[in-house]
Amino acid sequence: MGEADQLEDEVDEFVGKKTDKSYRLLEEMLTKLLLELDSIETGGQDSVRQARKESVHRIQAILEKLERKGL
């Protein structure tokens, strides 16, 4: 989640439009994190499943914040 924290800081500083290169890069990096989380096997462990679920929700919230700023 350290990478997500860093990307969130960049999203907070972002000023521009959805067509900007920096917007597309941030969106791609956040989507990549979601894909990495999706590939984590929980092995039936509830704690791993819960941590993954919370991380996914956090990254989705950052993506939504980016979308609002890109309008």
Side-chain angles (χ1 to χ4, degrees), residues 54-71:
E54 289 171 8
S55 297
V56 166
H57 286 299
R58 173 125 188 274
I59 293 169
Q60 287 174 333
I62 297 169
L63 273 166
E64 288 172 9
K65 185 190 304 186
L66 178 62
E67 282 185 36
R68 286 192 303 272
K69 291 187 92 169
L71 296 177

Side-chain angles (χ1 to χ4, degrees), residues 23-34:
Y23 178 96
R24 291 191 308 251
L25 180 62
L26 284 168
E27 184 178 46
E28 183 178 324
M29 296 299 290
L30 288 163
T31 303
K32 181 181 170 200
L33 283 179
L34 284 175

